[in-house]
């Protein structure tokens, strides 16, 4: 581990900030691997950078070393997370670092993966590579909060999202969009940053959403769509059904007729049958375990009133975005969520408010 004698300079902090920015840029886009940023420096000059590849491979250190056009001997590597030392689908990055004659490795956060977890320190020292850790650790831990949660709980990191009028309604037949276009763009950015998005069949059949990312250039990063549909009530004229292909849609169900099951499977929809609890609902923790098992590490829940309420009651949100319009719906409003908002205040006391770039809308982020 890093000792009290270890001293970091302002330049060290500058280069590590670059590495952490590269890691943050990849959050939600690296599958079951952590997002990592890497910066290689020689004579106070950045000679190469690397990020974890989309879907998790190649690793950031590999990308930085392989793309470098200069001699790496006597250089320093700044990396956001401890380099791996174990063999998986690819060889360990630590071997490549040692082979490249890099003189010093500085990383921010020790990997919680038991296969690594501080073991690189001993390895690097045995190969005469100077190694230090803990630089900008507080910021690093914020970036790796979802990854740490994944590893410790074997569950996806769950982000909730709800948009309400100023008088706490979430639905109106007369007004399709409650919040403004700026809030809408942030909502789509959240879809971009999550592996999958979860809704109930009730929301599906009322709103008929597409559940894709509609930011320019980011459509290919649209999340997997996951639907809780106890009796397979999904309609064939829904956008979700018509755009399902290549297993981009998962439905959790309890029962359904054989004809409907065959039809959905033929469309490329993955069906997962689960039992119901005594209240005739899905056990949400069991749902999350299955979602984790199929590869989702960051889940966005765009639920309606009931689904949001269930997640709140079971304390399953790790983070929550509340978009609140300045406009009131009054008698045109449906589905008041005042009680759910009170639960947010009580259960997620540490909150920060972001208001500046959303016009008249307000965003509260609970974590």
């Amino acid at each position: 581990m890093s000792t009290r004698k270890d001293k970091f300079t302002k330049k060290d902090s500058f280069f590590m900030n670059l590495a952490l920015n590269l890691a943050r840029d990849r959050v939600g886009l690296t599958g079951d691997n952590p997002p990592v940023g890497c910066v290689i420096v020689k004579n106070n000059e950045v000679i190469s950078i690397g990020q974890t590849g989309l879907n998790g491979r190649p690793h950031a250190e590999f990308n930085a070393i392989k793309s470098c056009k200069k001699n790496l001997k006597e250089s320093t590597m700044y990396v956001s997370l401890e380099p791996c030392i174990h063999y998986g689908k690819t060889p360990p990055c630590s071997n490549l670092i040692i082979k490249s004659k890099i003189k010093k490795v500085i990383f921010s956060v020790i990997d919680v993966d038991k296969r690594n977890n501080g073991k690189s320190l001993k390895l690097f020292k045995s190969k005469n590579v100077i190694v230090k850790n803990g630089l900008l650790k507080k910021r690093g831990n914020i970036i790796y909060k979802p990854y740490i949660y994944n590893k410790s709980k074997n569950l996806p990191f769950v982000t909730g999202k709800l948009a309400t009028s100023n008088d706490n309604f979430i639905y109106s037949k007369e007004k399709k969009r409650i919040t403004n276009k700026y809030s809408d763009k942030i909502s789509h950015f959240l879809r971009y940053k999550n592996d999958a998005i979860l809704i109930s069949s009730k929301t599906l059949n009322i709103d008929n959403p597409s559940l894709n990312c509609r930011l320019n250039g980011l459509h290919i990063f649209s999340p997997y769509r996951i639907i809780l549909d106890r009796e397979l009530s999904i309609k064939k004229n829904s956008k979700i059904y018509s755009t399902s292909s290549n297993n981009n849609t998962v439905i959790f169900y309890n029962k359904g007729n054989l004809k409907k099951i065959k039809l959905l499977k033929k469309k490329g929809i993955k069906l997962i049958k689960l039992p119901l609890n005594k209240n005739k609902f899905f056990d949400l923790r069991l749902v999350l375990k299955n979602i984790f098992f199929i590869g989702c590490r960051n889940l966005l829940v765009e639920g309606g009133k009931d689904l949001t309420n269930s997640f709140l009651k079971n304390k399953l949100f790790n983070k929550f975005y509340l978009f609140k319009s300045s406009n009131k719906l009054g008698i045109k409003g449906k589905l008041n969520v005042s009680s759910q908002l009170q639960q947010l205040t009580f259960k997620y006391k540490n909150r920060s408010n972001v208001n500046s770039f959303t016009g008249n809308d307000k965003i509260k982020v609970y974590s």
Side-chain angles (χ1 to χ4, degrees):
M1 303 291 174
S2 138
T3 67
R4 292 183 181 180
K5 293 181 180 179
D6 289 341
K7 290 184 179 180
F8 298 113
T9 67
K10 288 184 178 179
K11 288 182 180 178
D12 287 331
S13 295
F14 174 80
F15 294 127
M16 183 58 77
N17 255 318
L18 293 180
L20 289 169
N21 285 341
L22 290 168
R24 184 186 61 182
D25 183 58
R26 282 290 196 257
V27 169
L29 304 174
T30 57
D32 56 3
N33 279 341
V36 177
C38 180
V39 175
I40 303 177
V41 176
K42 189 172 182 178
N43 298 324
N44 294 319
E45 176 190 356
V46 175
I47 60 173
S48 189
I49 64 171
Q51 294 171 288
T52 305
L54 297 175
N55 296 320
R57 295 174 187 85
H59 291 185
E61 301 94 322
F62 177 93
N63 286 332
I65 290 172
K66 290 301 181 182
S67 64
C68 187
K69 304 300 182 183
K70 296 188 177 182
N71 191 335
L72 289 167
K73 191 175 181 180
E74 300 298 309
S75 65
T76 298
M77 173 180 282
Y78 296 87
V79 61
S80 57
L81 186 70
E82 177 182 8
C84 63
I85 68 166
H86 68 279
Y87 282 86
K89 293 183 179 179
T90 57
C93 293
S94 53
N95 287 4
L96 185 59
I97 293 168
I98 293 165
K99 186 178 178 180
S100 300
K101 306 295 184 183
I102 290 171
K103 180 180 181 179
K104 184 188 294 186
V105 175
I106 299 175
F107 63 88
S108 178
V109 178
I110 289 179
D111 193 352
V112 294
D113 189 323
K114 293 179 180 179
R115 296 171 295 179
N116 296 327
N117 199 234
K119 295 175 184 176
S120 70
L121 293 161
K122 184 177 180 179
L123 175 64
F124 284 133
K125 288 176 181 178
S126 72
K127 300 297 182 180
N128 296 316
V129 177
I130 299 169
V131 57
K132 297 181 180 181
N133 71 285
L135 178 58
L136 303 184
K137 181 180 177 181
K138 186 175 181 180
R139 187 184 173 211
N141 280 333
I142 292 173
I143 292 172
Y144 288 110
K145 187 176 180 181
Y147 171 67
I148 293 169
Y149 184 81
N150 294 157
K151 285 294 181 183
S152 62
K153 304 293 185 181
N154 287 326
L155 291 171
F157 186 88
V158 182
T159 298
K161 176 247 168 182
L162 198 63
T164 78
S165 63
N166 196 45
D167 47 355
N168 300 329
F169 291 104
I170 63 171
Y171 179 74
S172 171
K173 286 185 178 180
E174 288 81 4
K175 195 170 185 180
K176 183 73 174 177
R177 179 187 290 168
I178 293 175
T179 49
N180 64 30
K181 61 181 181 180
Y182 305 108
S183 292
D184 189 54
K185 288 185 181 296
I186 298 168
S187 295
H188 283 276
F189 183 77
L190 290 177
R191 292 181 180 183
Y192 160 65
K193 281 294 187 180
N194 283 271
D195 304 315
I197 182 169
L198 174 71
I199 64 168
S200 68
S201 57
K202 184 177 180 180
T203 297
L204 170 67
N205 290 327
I206 292 176
D207 295 345
N208 192 22
S210 298
L211 301 184
N212 58 356
C213 176
R214 294 192 287 276
L215 296 177
N216 288 337
L218 298 181
H219 178 78
I220 60 171
F221 297 103
S222 292
Y224 287 99
R225 296 92 59 91
I226 301 177
I227 317 298
L228 299 181
D229 190 356
R230 284 174 291 181
E231 299 182 2
L232 295 180
S233 63
I234 181 173
K235 299 174 182 177
K236 288 193 291 182
N237 63 352
S238 68
K239 294 176 183 176
I240 293 297
Y241 178 84
S242 63
T243 58
S244 291
S245 62
N246 299 321
N247 293 316
N248 68 343
T249 306
V250 178
I251 295 179
F252 288 97
Y253 78 107
N254 177 253
K255 63 180 180 180
N257 68 66
L258 188 59
K259 184 178 178 180
K260 187 74 170 281
I261 290 172
K262 287 182 177 180
L263 184 69
L264 294 174
K265 286 183 176 180
K266 187 176 179 180
K267 192 64 180 172
I269 296 173
K270 183 179 180 66
L271 298 178
I272 300 177
K273 189 174 183 178
L274 289 181
L276 302 178
N277 59 26
K278 61 182 181 180
N279 297 316
K280 303 300 181 182
F281 293 109
F282 290 116
D283 179 336
L284 290 179
R285 187 167 290 274
L286 181 60
V287 169
L288 292 178
K289 286 180 179 179
N290 276 270
I291 289 174
F292 183 85
F293 179 77
I294 62 177
C296 172
R297 297 296 178 263
N298 296 277
L299 176 69
L300 178 64
V301 178
E302 287 196 5
K305 181 177 179 178
D306 294 337
L307 188 59
T308 298
N309 189 55
S310 295
F311 268 83
L312 283 170
K313 282 187 174 181
N314 288 281
K315 298 182 179 180
L316 294 174
F317 285 125
N318 301 104
K319 197 169 189 178
F320 197 94
Y321 285 79
L322 174 65
F323 296 79
K324 197 160 192 177
S325 171
S326 61
N327 300 319
K328 294 183 178 181
L329 289 177
I331 59 173
K332 295 180 180 179
K334 304 289 183 183
L335 301 176
N336 191 289
V337 291
S338 296
S339 62
Q340 284 74 20
L341 302 188
Q342 288 178 358
Q343 288 187 62
L344 276 173
T345 303
F346 287 124
K347 295 184 179 182
Y348 301 89
K349 294 180 181 179
N350 178 25
R351 67 183 184 188
S352 59
N353 299 329
V354 182
N355 306 320
S356 58
F357 57 90
T358 55
N360 292 325
D361 288 355
K362 293 182 179 180
I363 299 179
K364 290 185 179 181
V365 183
Y366 298 81
S367 60

